[in-house]
Amino acid sequence: MSITKEKKAAVIEEFRRDEKDTGSAEVQIAVLTNRINALTEHMKANKKDHASRRGLLMLVSKRRSLLNYIHRTQPETYRSLLERLSLRR
């Protein structure tokens, strides 16, 4: 269900702004998207796993609030982030 350290490091490497950036909103959104995609696959196979469903909904909510923040503060970054992550809005 969770992502591996290597996969998370690759996502951080791809979306970070500079050398030491690991916690910017863009990186957090990318990591959350990766976790959401993994949990979505799990939920397709395990429809009655309500605890994981709750966790998935919390991750989606957290990503939505971070996306709203980016949209408010940096509209250009928001649009490019949606395109890079293949998200719709």
Side-chain angles (χ1 to χ4, degrees), residues 45-87:
N46 303 284
K47 296 187 185 305
K48 294 185 178 184
D49 188 354
H50 297 293
S52 291
R53 177 178 164 76
R54 181 175 181 269
L56 175 63
L57 292 174
M58 290 190 319
L59 291 176
V60 170
S61 176
K62 179 71 173 175
R63 181 179 70 180
R64 179 78 260 154
S65 64
L66 285 168
L67 281 168
N68 286 340
Y69 167 75
I70 291 283
H71 184 59
R72 257 192 343 264
T73 58
Q74 305 165 359
E76 303 83 27
T77 306
Y78 172 77
R79 284 189 286 280
S80 69
L81 196 58
L82 288 184
E83 189 175 311
R84 288 171 67 191
L85 291 172
S86 302
L87 298 175

